[in-house]
Amino acid sequence: MPAIVGAVKVINIGSSSIFHIGDVYKIKPYTLAKTFAGGGSFNSGDGIRIHLENAQTNIMDDDYVDQNFTASK
């Protein structure tokens, strides 16, 4: 049975978002990301003190595939 949709006003859609109106068979969003973080990163809490003298983050990555991803139809 078809969907009946009234007026829609879209203000903003993010780059990794899906906007859907009406009937759908399959919605399959995907994203791939690689994050580099040095010492003292991703800390949370009150009163955290981080002392790093000479911290370096090695971002040299020789492999070409980090996660296998194939888009299925």
Side-chain angles (χ1 to χ4, degrees):
M1 179 177 212
I4 299 172
V5 180
V8 176
K9 181 178 182 181
V10 178
I11 303 299
N12 189 8
I13 295 179
S15 62
S16 62
S17 302
I18 290 179
F19 178 71
H20 164 70
I21 294 179
D23 298 335
V24 67
Y25 172 70
K26 183 194 310 187
I27 295 179
K28 192 173 181 181
Y30 66 91
T31 183
L32 302 174
K34 187 175 214 174
T35 303
F36 299 104
S41 299
F42 304 119
N43 292 317
S44 61
D46 295 331
I48 293 177
R49 293 183 183 190
I50 306 294
H51 300 284
L52 301 173
E53 293 295 325
N54 188 12
Q56 297 178 358
T57 302
N58 182 11
I59 59 171
M60 196 158 127
D61 188 11
D62 293 332
D63 59 346
Y64 293 105
V65 178
D66 287 328
Q67 41 184 322
N68 295 330
F69 175 77
T70 57
S72 61
K73 295 180 182 178

